[in-house]
């Protein structure tokens, strides 16, 4: 074999992108966090797409980016988000000496594949110019192959693509622990509570609408002037976000007195709303 | 021996073995699954490279089918991981050991 080593642009591109892909692959198995591993896998996939393009596989290069980096890795990231990103894996080794053995086995298999397959590479590559040109381009020629020679495998695969999401839905669908409460059930519960303890079965009162402030943070005033706790959400009370409506009512009364000419109009300086934020005030919300 | 083919066979073998080592040494089910995807991609790379070497598009069709099957596999596999996480609150492959003798 006396042929000279010919450096083609294709070879340079494969070596460059291949080196980057190997770096990404090593990142995939060494990085601690699953998110970082997923991103380095995305990096590998993009580099492989470039190599596919260098081998005249335009459709596969596009599909690699769209299917792998676009769909599959986004699904991975989505599941990482669902199951928690900060969960670090245990460092306890289930089998002693697993890591060095695995690495030695990996390097050994790698050498075996390269030597075994590499020694069989005797023929000169044909290239895809004529195959791609048969029907006018890579996509057209692939389409003819898929829909003529490979039409039955293609149909089986489309059946698989229908079945797989159904299986995923069955697996990911959580079983209901207790029967669903319907609207009728809730109504029956409310009436039962009314019969038992006299709890009001109707809707809860609205928040107050005053001239100064009308957000849902303003609880309604009862006829006796006290604040109705039922008219604001409990979570807002706990976060000290509820406005003291009695204070708002007093300010409103001052403005009305000025407008009616009962007192001299004063320059109104904006002041912060008084909130219900002490334990004593919260205790008064009953 | 063609240098391009030798380079791509080396790359595919290295990526496949990185995936294999990852499957063996990592304990997070999600990362093991990603390593399996890497191994599938290494095989795909050889399909594309040998399609180019043989001057026919059948290898690209095979790579296309592998891609579709990988997508279906990911959908089912990830939902299994989510189902195991719901039951056991873990993604480690060491914790679900109900089948251990």
């Amino acid at each position: 074999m006396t042929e000279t080593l010919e450096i083609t642009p294709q070879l340079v591109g494969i070596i460059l992108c291949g080196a980057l892909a190997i770096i990404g692959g090593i990142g995939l198995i060494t990085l601690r966090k699953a998110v970082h591993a997923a991103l380095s896998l995305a990096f590998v996939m993009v580099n492989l797409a470039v190599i596919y393009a260098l081998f005249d596989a335009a459709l596969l290069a596009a599909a690699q980016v769209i299917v792998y980096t676009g769909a599959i890795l986004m699904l991975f990231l989505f599941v990482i988000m669902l199951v928690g990103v900060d969960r670090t894996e245990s460092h306890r080794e289930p089998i002693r000496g697993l890591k060095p053995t695995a690495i030695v086995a990996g390097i050994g298999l790698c050498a075996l594949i390269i030597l075994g397959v590499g020694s069989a590479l005797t023929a000169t590559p044909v290239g895809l110019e004529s195959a791609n040109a048969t029907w006018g381009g890579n996509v057209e020629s692939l389409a003819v192959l898929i829909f003529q020679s490979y039409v039955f495998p293609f149909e089986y695969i489309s059946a698989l693509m229908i079945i797989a999401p159904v299986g995923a839905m069955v697996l990911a669908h959580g079983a209901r622990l207790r029967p669903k409460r319907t609207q009728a059930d809730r109504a029956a519960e409310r009436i039962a509570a009314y019969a038992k303890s006299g709890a009001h079965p109707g809707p809860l009162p609205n928040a107050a609408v005053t001239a100064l402030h009308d957000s849902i943070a303003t609880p309604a005033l009862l006829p006796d002037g006290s604040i109705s706790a039922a008219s604001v959400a409990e979570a807002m009370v706990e976060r000290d976000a509820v406005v003291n409506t009695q204070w708002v009512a007093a300010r409103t009364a001052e403005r009305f007195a000025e407008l009616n000419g009962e007192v001299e109009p004063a320059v109104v300086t904006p002041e912060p709303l008084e909130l219900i934020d002490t334990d004593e005030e919260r205790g008064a919300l009953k | 021996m063609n240098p391009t083919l030798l380079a791509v066979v080396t790359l595919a073998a290295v990526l496949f073995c990185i995936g294999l080592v990852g499957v063996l040494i990592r304990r997070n089910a999600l990362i093991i699954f990603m390593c399996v995807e890497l191994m599938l991609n290494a095989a795909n790379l050889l399909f594309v490279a040998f399609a180019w070497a043989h001057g026919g598009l059948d290898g690209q069709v095979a790579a296309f089918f592998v891609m579709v099957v990988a997508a279906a596999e990911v959908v089912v596999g990830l939902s299994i991981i989510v189902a195991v996480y719901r039951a056991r609150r873990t993604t480690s492959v060491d914790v679900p050991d109900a089948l251990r003798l």
Side-chain angles (χ1 to χ4, degrees), chain A residues 1 3 10 25 29 31 45 51-52 57 64 68 83 87 89 106 110 126-128 131 138 141 150 157 168 172 174, chain B residues 1-3 11 17-18 22 24 26-27 34 37 41 44 52-53 55 57-58 60 67-68 70 75 79-80 85-86:
Chain A
M1 238 191 272
E3 62 178 310
Q10 188 189 29
I29 63 170
L31 290 173
M45 301 294 184
I51 294 179
Y52 289 176
Q64 173 85 0
Y68 269 109
V83 302
R87 244 158 265 279
E89 55 187 271
C110 185
V126 179
L128 283 176
N138 178 249
S141 307
Y150 290 94
I157 279 212
Chain B
M1 196 180 289
N2 183 272
L11 172 62
C17 292
I18 287 175
L24 290 174
R26 295 306 295 259
R27 310 253 57 84
M34 286 187 231
E37 290 301 311
N41 265 277
N44 250 358
W52 172 81
L57 286 172
D58 300 67
Q60 291 195 10
M67 230 179 240
V68 177
V75 167
S79 57
I80 290 175
Y85 179 76
R86 279 214 187 122

Side-chain angles (χ1 to χ4, degrees), chain A:
Chain A
M1 238 191 272
T2 52
E3 62 178 310
T4 51
L5 187 71
E6 196 186 349
I7 305 292
T8 55
Q10 188 189 29
L11 179 60
V12 175
I14 289 166
I15 290 173
L16 267 180
C17 292
L20 291 175
I22 289 171
I23 291 170
I26 290 170
L28 167 66
I29 63 170
T30 50
L31 290 173
R32 284 276 134 222
K33 283 190 173 171
V35 182
H36 297 164
L39 290 178
S40 56
L41 183 59
F43 183 67
V44 176
M45 301 294 184
V46 172
N47 279 304
L48 286 182
V50 175
I51 294 179
Y52 289 176
L54 290 172
F55 277 119
D56 294 332
L59 178 72
L60 281 177
Q64 173 85 0
V65 173
I66 295 169
V67 174
Y68 269 109
T69 52
I72 292 182
L73 276 160
M74 288 312 113
L75 206 58
F76 267 110
L77 287 178
F78 206 77
V79 170
I80 291 169
M81 185 188 82
L82 274 181
V83 302
V85 280
D86 52 358
R87 244 158 265 279
T88 46
E89 55 187 271
S90 64
H91 297 283
R92 187 179 62 88
E93 283 192 22
I95 304 166
R96 261 198 321 154
L98 175 66
K99 246 177 212 180
T101 317
I103 291 169
V104 168
I107 293 172
L109 180 68
C110 185
L112 210 61
I113 297 174
I114 294 171
L115 292 178
V117 182
S119 65
L121 298 175
T122 50
T124 329
V126 179
L128 283 176
E129 282 82 11
S130 64
N132 273 344
T134 321
W135 299 94
N138 178 249
V139 181
E140 289 86 345
S141 307
L142 267 182
V144 170
L145 264 186
I146 288 173
F147 292 110
Q148 285 181 359
S149 320
Y150 290 94
V151 68
F152 282 108
F154 180 76
E155 293 298 334
Y156 299 145
I157 279 212
S158 51
L160 181 74
M161 286 305 272
I162 301 290
I163 297 164
V166 175
M169 276 190 271
V170 170
L171 283 169
H173 192 273
R176 237 176 219 293
L177 295 177
R178 46 181 80 88
K180 188 181 178 186
R181 283 165 74 217
T182 60
Q183 203 176 8
D185 294 337
R186 286 162 193 269
E189 277 168 25
R190 278 204 296 269
I191 297 300
Y194 173 64
K196 200 174 163 193
S197 62
H200 181 54
L204 295 172
N206 282 340
V209 178
T210 71
L212 284 183
H213 204 68
D214 62 353
S215 82
I216 56 164
T218 323
L221 292 182
L222 294 172
D224 63 353
S226 63
I227 292 171
S228 161
S231 61
V232 280
E234 273 173 40
M236 297 184 71
V237 178
E238 274 168 25
R239 289 173 193 179
D240 295 334
V242 175
V243 177
N244 188 342
T245 316
Q246 289 169 336
W247 176 85
V248 174
R251 297 291 89 72
T252 311
E254 284 171 20
R255 293 292 98 72
F256 267 118
E258 286 169 10
L259 289 172
N260 292 337
E262 292 165 17
V263 291
E264 279 299 305
V267 178
V268 180
T269 49
E271 47 189 332
L273 291 165
E274 195 178 304
L275 299 174
I276 298 184
D277 49 7
T278 62
D279 285 338
E280 190 189 340
E281 285 172 326
R282 246 180 261 126
L285 270 184
K286 283 285 169 272

